[in-house]
Amino acid sequence: MTNINTMGISIRFIFAILLVMATYNPTPYSYVSWVLSVFPNIGPVMALSGVGLAIGWAIYLRATMRSLGIIGVSLSSALFACIIWLLVDREIMDIANISLLTWIILVALSFILAMGMSWSHIRRRMSGQVDVDDVDQ
């Protein structure tokens, strides 16, 4: 069985944030901005990059949905939505600042994906329960 530690969760978060930010962010340096700047003249490098990002998303989303499930993803999303609401309510963050709100949402999405990649390991460590996928054959 694979043990999980802070370093493992951190690495999963770093890869999640790289995936999310490479796909979209409010700067001109993202895949979405790149495609929109030249559309419909998409070349092979752009297509290859898109397929690579799609593979990364498939891995992260599948692991997150299998590990957290729809209820876990919904609760995680609700948690981050409430944190944003609290920041706005306490006037720490201005809701009119769309760029800041976008960055916060992208980081929150990265946290959810990283927890989805790590949750089976964390649950096994906390409860001793093993997922069916984890059993050696």
Side-chain angles (χ1 to χ4, degrees), residues 82-99:
C82 287
I83 291 170
I84 292 169
W85 183 15
L86 178 67
L87 293 174
V88 170
D89 186 60
R90 300 287 184 219
E91 298 178 356
I92 297 170
M93 185 178 92
D94 184 14
I95 195 75
N97 189 346
I98 300 299
S99 180

Side-chain angles (χ1 to χ4, degrees), residues 22-98:
T23 303
Y24 176 77
N25 63 66
T27 71
Y29 305 105
S30 71
Y31 182 74
V32 170
S33 297
W34 185 29
V35 169
L36 291 177
S37 70
V38 298
F39 190 79
N41 301 323
I42 295 174
V45 172
M46 193 174 291
L48 182 63
S49 300
V51 170
L53 285 172
I55 291 168
W57 277 102
I59 291 168
Y60 265 82
L61 288 174
R62 185 168 191 269
T64 298
M65 291 309 294
R66 288 180 62 99
S67 184
L68 296 177
I70 193 72
I71 294 173
V73 171
S74 298
L75 288 172
S76 300
S77 300
L79 174 68
F80 285 110
C82 287
I83 291 170
I84 292 169
W85 183 15
L86 178 67
L87 293 174
V88 170
D89 186 60
R90 300 287 184 219
E91 298 178 356
I92 297 170
M93 185 178 92
D94 184 14
I95 195 75
N97 189 346
I98 300 299

